[in-house]
């Protein structure tokens, strides 16, 4: 079997050249990192769960007409996605105060925000992904005004979809991060939701108990990350009802 060409290896995923032009294979690793990779561990099964959960969310978005890079899942750890040019921004949407917003502005975690707040961070690990304004984005040419109008609209649609999906299974979507890519179709470019949507990139709190079901479990040493992600997957029907400690996946 021919060896695949690795395009990029990040903290949680590896990208390989896909089988057809314009495609990429996205491989989900078990590695967990936090605080700009100062805290690291390998969490058995995390990659499998995130592959399935990201598939679930991206498929749902595609079904309601929000374009994503997702084509299809290939196996337990890999999915085929459209190759795109990633806009170098982390797009964060917040419904409730938590994490860096709470620290920055002194707002108690869990406080409902008056409306969804969208923030942009410049994707640069060496700089620790600093928050930037639309002025920076325009001045440095990271995205055009038209792109940013579309990015905002996509971010808010993802927020509405994800909030509803999570609410239906008793989970509050506190905040999340997405990345947006450009795909070229002839003379036209289109923006799509790229990267992944998973408990690695969202804050998910159980509505009844406030239990954290996301990467804060790892960041803050709150217990088993696999248990938390399995619980999200189980509630969404991605895992069978009685989820064993090690994820057993249904098709
Ligand atoms: P905060 O700014 O409060 O640290 O993060 C806000 C939201 O964006 C959280 O849901 C967090 O998981 C997500 N987020 C922010 N930066 C990153 C990142 O570099 N990687 C991932 N996976 N998620 C991030």
């Amino acid at each position: 079997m021919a060896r695949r060409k690795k395009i990029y290896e990040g903290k949680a995923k590896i990208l390989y050249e896909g089988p057809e032009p314009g495609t990429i294979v996205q491989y989900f690793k078990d590695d967990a990192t936090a605080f700009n990779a100062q805290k690291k561990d390998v969490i058995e099964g995390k990659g499998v769960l995130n592959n399935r959960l990201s598939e679930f969310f991206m498929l749902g978005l595609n079904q309601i007409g929000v374009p994503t890079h997702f084509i299809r899942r290939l196996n337990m750890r890999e999915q085929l996605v459209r190759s795109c040019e990633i806009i170098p921004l982390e797009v964060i949407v917040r419904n409730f105060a938590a994490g860096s917003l709470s620290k920055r502005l002194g707002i108690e975690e869990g406080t409902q925000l008056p409306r969804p707040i969208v923030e942009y961070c410049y994707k640069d690990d060496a700089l620790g992904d600093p928050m930037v304004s639309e002025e920076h984005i325009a001045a440095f040419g990271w995205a055009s005004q038209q792109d940013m109008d579309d990015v905002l609209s996509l971010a808010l649609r993802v927020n509405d979809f994800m909030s509803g999906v999570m609410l239906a299974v008793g989970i509050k979507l506190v905040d999340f991060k997405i990345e947006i890519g450009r795909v070229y179709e002839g003379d036209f470019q289109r923006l799509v939701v790229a990267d992944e949507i998973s408990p690695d990139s969202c804050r998910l709190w159980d509505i009844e108990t406030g239990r954290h079901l996301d990467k804060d479990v790892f960041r803050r040493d709150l217990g088993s990350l696999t248990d938390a992600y399995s619980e999200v997957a189980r509630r969404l029907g991605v895992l069978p009802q009685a989820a064993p400690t090690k994820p057993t996946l249904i098709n």
Side-chain angles (χ1 to χ4, degrees):
M1 209 168 86
R3 216 177 144 77
R4 288 187 302 189
K5 187 170 166 211
K6 192 193 278 190
I7 299 173
Y8 172 79
E9 177 156 4
K11 286 175 278 191
K13 293 186 293 297
I14 305 174
L15 303 182
Y16 296 98
E17 216 167 58
E20 298 122 40
T23 64
I24 283 182
V25 174
Q26 188 165 257
Y27 175 97
F28 287 76
K29 302 197 282 187
D30 280 343
D31 301 35
T33 62
F35 313 118
N36 207 8
Q38 286 172 44
K39 180 172 181 173
K40 289 184 201 172
D41 205 349
V42 176
I43 315 279
E44 200 188 335
K46 181 176 86 85
V48 173
L49 285 159
N50 280 351
N51 185 26
R52 284 302 296 254
L53 285 165
S54 199
E55 172 195 23
F56 178 85
F57 297 128
M58 295 280 184
L59 271 180
L61 286 168
N62 286 346
Q63 278 160 2
I64 62 158
V66 176
T68 79
H69 72 161
F70 184 83
I71 301 173
R72 66 175 180 276
R73 185 169 59 83
L74 297 171
N75 55 46
M76 299 271 277
R77 286 185 183 274
E78 295 179 330
Q79 47 184 247
L80 188 68
V81 300
R82 288 188 71 170
S83 155
C84 53
E85 186 183 284
I86 295 285
I87 296 178
L89 297 173
E90 296 195 334
V91 180
I92 294 172
V93 184
R94 302 178 185 273
N95 299 305
F96 297 86
S100 71
L101 178 102
S102 290
K103 279 211 192 83
R104 222 181 310 127
L105 301 180
I107 303 175
E108 195 185 338
E109 287 209 314
T111 307
Q112 186 173 352
L113 299 171
R115 58 176 215 186
I117 294 178
V118 182
E119 298 174 346
Y120 304 106
C121 294
Y122 180 53
K123 257 173 72 71
D124 186 317
D125 283 342
L127 298 175
D129 301 334
M131 194 159 106
V132 291
S133 71
E134 289 199 54
E135 277 289 290
H136 297 107
I137 297 167
F140 296 120
W142 297 324
S144 67
Q145 188 54 55
Q146 177 64 55
D147 282 345
M148 290 314 291
D149 291 348
D150 294 346
V151 165
L152 180 63
S153 147
L154 280 175
L156 294 175
R157 290 181 77 191
V158 172
N159 187 42
D160 284 347
F161 170 77
M162 291 289 296
S163 296
V165 166
M166 299 317 300
L167 176 67
V169 294
I171 294 173
K172 183 190 277 190
L173 178 66
V174 173
D175 58 30
F176 66 91
K177 181 267 302 184
I178 51 171
E179 296 185 19
I180 305 290
R182 298 185 179 95
V183 293
Y184 294 95
E185 287 161 0
D187 288 343
F188 296 95
Q189 74 145 49
R190 197 153 74 104
L191 298 189
V192 299
V193 179
D195 190 53
E196 71 177 281
I197 303 180
S198 74
D200 265 10
S201 50
C202 302
R203 281 200 175 89
L204 305 170
W205 294 359
D206 180 83
I207 286 176
E208 295 283 310
T209 64
R211 179 183 166 202
H212 294 249
L213 297 168
D214 55 57
K215 201 163 130 187
D216 276 348
V217 171
F218 172 71
R219 294 187 189 103
R220 302 178 186 188
D221 294 319
L222 299 176
S224 158
L225 196 72
T226 327
D227 283 357
Y229 288 21
S230 298
E231 177 64 17
V232 176
R234 188 190 59 76
R235 289 195 200 184
L236 292 169
V238 172
L239 282 181
Q241 284 305 306
T245 321
K246 279 192 185 171
T248 304
L249 295 163
I250 53 172
N251 266 315

Tab-separated table of all heavy atoms in Angstrom, residues 32-36 39 43 90 98-100 103 109 175-177 198-205 212 214-223 225 229:
chain	number	residue	atom	x	y	z
A	32	ALA	N	-4.253	15.190	24.078
A	32	ALA	CA	-4.970	16.349	24.624
A	32	ALA	C	-3.927	17.364	25.075
A	32	ALA	O	-2.928	17.002	25.707
A	32	ALA	CB	-5.834	15.927	25.802
A	33	THR	N	-4.155	18.623	24.699
A	33	THR	CA	-3.243	19.682	25.161
A	33	THR	C	-4.080	20.835	25.684
A	33	THR	O	-5.228	21.013	25.268
A	33	THR	CB	-2.340	20.211	24.023
A	33	THR	OG1	-3.172	20.795	23.020
A	33	THR	CG2	-1.487	19.135	23.395
A	34	ALA	N	-3.499	21.605	26.577
A	34	ALA	CA	-4.187	22.807	27.070
A	34	ALA	C	-3.135	23.848	27.415
A	34	ALA	O	-1.947	23.526	27.534
A	34	ALA	CB	-5.022	22.477	28.301
A	35	PHE	N	-3.601	25.067	27.587
A	35	PHE	CA	-2.715	26.193	27.928
A	35	PHE	C	-1.539	26.264	26.946
A	35	PHE	O	-0.377	26.216	27.348
A	35	PHE	CB	-2.237	26.102	29.386
A	35	PHE	CG	-3.360	25.807	30.340
A	35	PHE	CD1	-3.381	24.646	31.107
A	35	PHE	CD2	-4.435	26.682	30.435
A	35	PHE	CE1	-4.436	24.362	31.962
A	35	PHE	CE2	-5.498	26.411	31.288
A	35	PHE	CZ	-5.494	25.257	32.050
A	36	ASN	N	-1.907	26.308	25.661
A	36	ASN	CA	-0.917	26.410	24.592
A	36	ASN	C	0.128	25.299	24.688
A	36	ASN	O	1.327	25.539	24.574
A	36	ASN	CB	-0.276	27.798	24.607
A	36	ASN	CG	0.222	28.210	23.233
A	36	ASN	OD1	-0.041	27.514	22.245
A	36	ASN	ND2	0.952	29.288	23.174
A	39	LYS	N	0.226	21.881	29.062
A	39	LYS	CA	-0.292	20.674	29.704
A	39	LYS	C	-0.622	19.682	28.595
A	39	LYS	O	-1.333	20.043	27.651
A	39	LYS	CB	-1.544	21.036	30.504
A	39	LYS	CG	-2.176	19.868	31.210
A	39	LYS	CD	-3.297	20.306	32.135
A	39	LYS	CE	-3.875	19.078	32.820
A	39	LYS	NZ	-4.844	19.411	33.853
A	43	ILE	N	-5.245	10.703	25.888
A	43	ILE	CA	-6.501	10.216	26.472
A	43	ILE	C	-7.068	9.180	25.511
A	43	ILE	O	-7.600	9.541	24.448
A	43	ILE	CB	-7.518	11.363	26.651
A	43	ILE	CG1	-6.874	12.615	27.264
A	43	ILE	CG2	-8.745	10.888	27.399
A	43	ILE	CD1	-6.700	12.606	28.747
A	90	GLU	N	-9.406	32.200	14.974
A	90	GLU	CA	-10.298	31.365	15.771
A	90	GLU	C	-11.530	32.222	16.009
A	90	GLU	O	-11.422	33.350	16.517
A	90	GLU	CB	-9.636	31.006	17.095
A	90	GLU	CG	-8.400	30.168	16.894
A	90	GLU	CD	-7.917	29.506	18.164
A	90	GLU	OE1	-8.185	30.038	19.254
A	90	GLU	OE2	-7.271	28.450	18.044
A	98	ALA	N	-17.535	32.519	30.597
A	98	ALA	CA	-16.674	31.423	31.098
A	98	ALA	C	-15.261	31.695	30.608
A	98	ALA	O	-15.038	32.587	29.775
A	98	ALA	CB	-17.152	30.057	30.590
A	99	GLY	N	-14.331	30.918	31.133
A	99	GLY	CA	-12.962	30.922	30.624
A	99	GLY	C	-12.335	32.297	30.543
A	99	GLY	O	-12.411	33.091	31.488
A	100	SER	N	-11.735	32.590	29.398
A	100	SER	CA	-10.952	33.820	29.276
A	100	SER	C	-11.824	35.073	29.363
A	100	SER	O	-11.362	36.119	29.818
A	100	SER	CB	-10.125	33.809	27.986
A	100	SER	OG	-10.954	33.954	26.867
A	103	LYS	N	-12.267	35.809	33.038
A	103	LYS	CA	-11.014	36.341	33.614
A	103	LYS	C	-10.795	37.787	33.182
A	103	LYS	O	-10.502	38.655	33.987
A	103	LYS	CB	-9.818	35.518	33.111
A	103	LYS	CG	-9.618	34.228	33.854
A	103	LYS	CD	-8.117	33.855	33.881
A	103	LYS	CE	-7.956	32.439	34.368
A	103	LYS	NZ	-8.151	31.438	33.287
A	109	GLU	N	-18.406	33.062	36.055
A	109	GLU	CA	-18.692	31.998	35.083
A	109	GLU	C	-20.153	31.576	35.183
A	109	GLU	O	-20.692	31.446	36.284
A	109	GLU	CB	-17.786	30.780	35.332
A	109	GLU	CG	-16.352	31.031	34.918
A	109	GLU	CD	-15.630	29.752	34.481
A	109	GLU	OE1	-15.746	28.750	35.197
A	109	GLU	OE2	-14.956	29.787	33.431
A	175	ASP	N	-20.041	28.155	25.191
A	175	ASP	CA	-19.280	28.855	24.146
A	175	ASP	C	-18.635	27.822	23.242
A	175	ASP	O	-18.691	26.617	23.511
A	175	ASP	CB	-18.214	29.807	24.754
A	175	ASP	CG	-17.225	29.112	25.665
A	175	ASP	OD1	-16.943	27.914	25.458
A	175	ASP	OD2	-16.714	29.754	26.599
A	176	PHE	N	-18.065	28.280	22.152
A	176	PHE	CA	-17.353	27.359	21.262
A	176	PHE	C	-16.431	28.145	20.347
A	176	PHE	O	-16.542	29.377	20.232
A	176	PHE	CB	-18.328	26.515	20.425
A	176	PHE	CG	-19.144	27.307	19.433
A	176	PHE	CD1	-18.694	27.501	18.133
A	176	PHE	CD2	-20.358	27.866	19.797
A	176	PHE	CE1	-19.447	28.233	17.218
A	176	PHE	CE2	-21.114	28.602	18.888
A	176	PHE	CZ	-20.659	28.784	17.600
A	177	LYS	N	-15.531	27.386	19.725
A	177	LYS	CA	-14.599	27.972	18.754
A	177	LYS	C	-14.749	27.238	17.427
A	177	LYS	O	-14.848	26.004	17.423
A	177	LYS	CB	-13.173	27.789	19.298
A	177	LYS	CG	-12.066	28.345	18.466
A	177	LYS	CD	-11.404	27.429	17.479
A	177	LYS	CE	-10.768	26.183	17.969
A	177	LYS	NZ	-10.078	25.417	16.896
A	198	SER	N	-16.277	19.796	18.362
A	198	SER	CA	-16.266	18.671	19.304
A	198	SER	C	-16.161	19.236	20.723
A	198	SER	O	-15.968	20.440	20.884
A	198	SER	CB	-15.043	17.785	19.010
A	198	SER	OG	-13.875	18.440	19.468
A	199	PRO	N	-16.232	18.369	21.728
A	199	PRO	CA	-16.085	18.889	23.098
A	199	PRO	C	-14.685	19.457	23.372
A	199	PRO	O	-14.463	20.085	24.397
A	199	PRO	CB	-16.360	17.665	23.984
A	199	PRO	CG	-17.138	16.738	23.124
A	199	PRO	CD	-16.629	16.941	21.729
A	200	ASP	N	-13.744	19.250	22.443
A	200	ASP	CA	-12.438	19.903	22.560
A	200	ASP	C	-12.551	21.408	22.318
A	200	ASP	O	-11.726	22.176	22.787
A	200	ASP	CB	-11.462	19.351	21.497
A	200	ASP	CG	-10.595	18.217	22.023
A	200	ASP	OD1	-10.871	17.727	23.138
A	200	ASP	OD2	-9.644	17.824	21.315
A	201	SER	N	-13.549	21.786	21.522
A	201	SER	CA	-13.606	23.192	21.099
A	201	SER	C	-14.885	23.903	21.568
A	201	SER	O	-15.168	25.011	21.131
A	201	SER	CB	-13.486	23.281	19.577
A	201	SER	OG	-14.404	22.404	18.966
A	202	CYS	N	-15.657	23.228	22.435
A	202	CYS	CA	-16.894	23.831	22.970
A	202	CYS	C	-16.850	23.776	24.495
A	202	CYS	O	-16.177	22.917	25.060
A	202	CYS	CB	-18.123	23.024	22.577
A	202	CYS	SG	-18.386	22.796	20.831
A	203	ARG	N	-17.619	24.632	25.143
A	203	ARG	CA	-17.911	24.406	26.567
A	203	ARG	C	-19.346	23.917	26.655
A	203	ARG	O	-20.265	24.589	26.167
A	203	ARG	CB	-17.732	25.690	27.396
A	203	ARG	CG	-16.308	25.994	27.717
A	203	ARG	CD	-16.115	26.941	28.907
A	203	ARG	NE	-14.703	27.054	29.196
A	203	ARG	CZ	-13.901	27.960	28.641
A	203	ARG	NH1	-14.396	28.858	27.802
A	203	ARG	NH2	-12.613	27.979	28.932
A	204	LEU	N	-19.500	22.740	27.266
A	204	LEU	CA	-20.802	22.084	27.344
A	204	LEU	C	-21.078	21.763	28.815
A	204	LEU	O	-20.291	21.043	29.436
A	204	LEU	CB	-20.774	20.787	26.523
A	204	LEU	CG	-20.351	20.924	25.051
A	204	LEU	CD1	-20.116	19.556	24.418
A	204	LEU	CD2	-21.399	21.701	24.265
A	205	TRP	N	-22.158	22.329	29.359
A	205	TRP	CA	-22.482	22.084	30.762
A	205	TRP	C	-23.835	21.376	30.849
A	205	TRP	O	-24.806	21.786	30.194
A	205	TRP	CB	-22.587	23.406	31.536
A	205	TRP	CG	-21.298	24.175	31.655
A	205	TRP	CD1	-20.057	23.837	31.184
A	205	TRP	CD2	-21.145	25.465	32.276
A	205	TRP	NE1	-19.140	24.821	31.476
A	205	TRP	CE2	-19.778	25.832	32.149
A	205	TRP	CE3	-22.016	26.344	32.939
A	205	TRP	CZ2	-19.275	27.043	32.646
A	205	TRP	CZ3	-21.518	27.546	33.440
A	205	TRP	CH2	-20.159	27.879	33.299
A	212	HIS	N	-19.324	19.683	33.873
A	212	HIS	CA	-18.615	20.035	32.644
A	212	HIS	C	-18.443	18.792	31.784
A	212	HIS	O	-17.955	17.768	32.266
A	212	HIS	CB	-17.230	20.616	32.960
A	212	HIS	CG	-17.295	21.937	33.668
A	212	HIS	ND1	-16.905	23.115	33.077
A	212	HIS	CD2	-17.718	22.277	34.901
A	212	HIS	CE1	-17.084	24.110	33.921
A	212	HIS	NE2	-17.570	23.626	35.052
A	214	ASP	N	-16.761	18.786	28.694
A	214	ASP	CA	-15.909	19.320	27.624
A	214	ASP	C	-14.452	19.320	28.075
A	214	ASP	O	-14.130	18.774	29.131
A	214	ASP	CB	-16.360	20.747	27.293
A	214	ASP	CG	-16.365	21.603	28.553
A	214	ASP	OD1	-15.315	21.700	29.199
A	214	ASP	OD2	-17.433	22.134	28.924
A	215	LYS	N	-13.605	19.982	27.298
A	215	LYS	CA	-12.165	19.915	27.564
A	215	LYS	C	-11.752	20.565	28.885
A	215	LYS	O	-10.639	20.330	29.371
A	215	LYS	CB	-11.396	20.540	26.397
A	215	LYS	CG	-9.961	20.075	26.341
A	215	LYS	CD	-9.361	20.357	24.994
A	215	LYS	CE	-8.043	21.044	25.114
A	215	LYS	NZ	-7.535	21.461	23.806
A	216	ASP	N	-12.628	21.365	29.496
A	216	ASP	CA	-12.312	21.922	30.813
A	216	ASP	C	-12.086	20.803	31.838
A	216	ASP	O	-11.383	21.003	32.828
A	216	ASP	CB	-13.417	22.866	31.305
A	216	ASP	CG	-13.248	24.290	30.743
A	216	ASP	OD1	-12.165	24.573	30.177
A	216	ASP	OD2	-14.186	25.093	30.869
A	217	VAL	N	-12.668	19.619	31.593
A	217	VAL	CA	-12.442	18.462	32.485
A	217	VAL	C	-10.938	18.166	32.524
A	217	VAL	O	-10.374	17.874	33.592
A	217	VAL	CB	-13.238	17.230	31.997
A	217	VAL	CG1	-12.858	15.965	32.755
A	217	VAL	CG2	-14.742	17.494	32.103
A	218	PHE	N	-10.290	18.282	31.384
A	218	PHE	CA	-8.835	18.068	31.305
A	218	PHE	C	-8.079	19.308	31.804
A	218	PHE	O	-7.182	19.196	32.643
A	218	PHE	CB	-8.459	17.756	29.855
A	218	PHE	CG	-6.986	17.698	29.582
A	218	PHE	CD1	-6.209	16.649	30.064
A	218	PHE	CD2	-6.365	18.695	28.837
A	218	PHE	CE1	-4.839	16.605	29.806
A	218	PHE	CE2	-4.997	18.653	28.577
A	218	PHE	CZ	-4.242	17.606	29.066
A	219	ARG	N	-8.506	20.480	31.305
A	219	ARG	CA	-7.794	21.712	31.700
A	219	ARG	C	-7.794	21.883	33.212
A	219	ARG	O	-6.815	22.318	33.800
A	219	ARG	CB	-8.480	22.943	31.078
A	219	ARG	CG	-8.415	23.040	29.562
A	219	ARG	CD	-8.969	24.394	29.096
A	219	ARG	NE	-9.128	24.483	27.657
A	219	ARG	CZ	-10.304	24.379	27.020
A	219	ARG	NH1	-11.423	24.203	27.696
A	219	ARG	NH2	-10.349	24.479	25.701
A	220	ARG	N	-8.939	21.561	33.852
A	220	ARG	CA	-9.107	21.863	35.291
A	220	ARG	C	-9.048	20.622	36.178
A	220	ARG	O	-9.444	20.697	37.349
A	220	ARG	CB	-10.454	22.581	35.487
A	220	ARG	CG	-10.558	23.864	34.670
A	220	ARG	CD	-11.904	24.543	34.834
A	220	ARG	NE	-12.020	25.687	33.921
A	220	ARG	CZ	-13.007	26.570	33.942
A	220	ARG	NH1	-13.979	26.455	34.823
A	220	ARG	NH2	-13.038	27.570	33.093
A	221	ASP	N	-8.627	19.483	35.629
A	221	ASP	CA	-8.526	18.228	36.388
A	221	ASP	C	-9.831	17.880	37.096
A	221	ASP	O	-9.878	17.680	38.315
A	221	ASP	CB	-7.395	18.308	37.437
A	221	ASP	CG	-6.026	18.417	36.781
A	221	ASP	OD1	-5.795	17.718	35.774
A	221	ASP	OD2	-5.206	19.223	37.265
A	222	LEU	N	-10.924	17.783	36.309
A	222	LEU	CA	-12.237	17.539	36.909
A	222	LEU	C	-12.685	16.088	36.792
A	222	LEU	O	-13.848	15.787	37.051
A	222	LEU	CB	-13.286	18.451	36.250
A	222	LEU	CG	-13.053	19.968	36.390
A	222	LEU	CD1	-14.110	20.755	35.611
A	222	LEU	CD2	-13.091	20.387	37.860
A	223	GLY	N	-11.799	15.189	36.369
A	223	GLY	CA	-12.203	13.776	36.252
A	223	GLY	C	-11.812	13.208	34.908
A	223	GLY	O	-10.832	13.645	34.306
A	225	LEU	N	-11.914	12.589	31.093
A	225	LEU	CA	-12.328	13.266	29.864
A	225	LEU	C	-13.133	12.314	28.972
A	225	LEU	O	-14.128	12.702	28.362
A	225	LEU	CB	-11.087	13.765	29.108
A	225	LEU	CG	-11.341	14.798	28.024
A	225	LEU	CD1	-11.708	16.138	28.649
A	225	LEU	CD2	-10.124	14.977	27.136
A	229	TYR	N	-16.855	13.016	27.398
A	229	TYR	CA	-17.145	13.032	25.958
A	229	TYR	C	-18.098	11.886	25.592
A	229	TYR	O	-18.953	12.035	24.721
A	229	TYR	CB	-15.851	12.915	25.139
A	229	TYR	CG	-14.964	14.151	25.135
A	229	TYR	CD1	-15.055	15.117	26.130
A	229	TYR	CD2	-14.019	14.339	24.137
A	229	TYR	CE1	-14.226	16.226	26.132
A	229	TYR	CE2	-13.187	15.464	24.123
A	229	TYR	CZ	-13.294	16.389	25.127
A	229	TYR	OH	-12.477	17.487	25.120
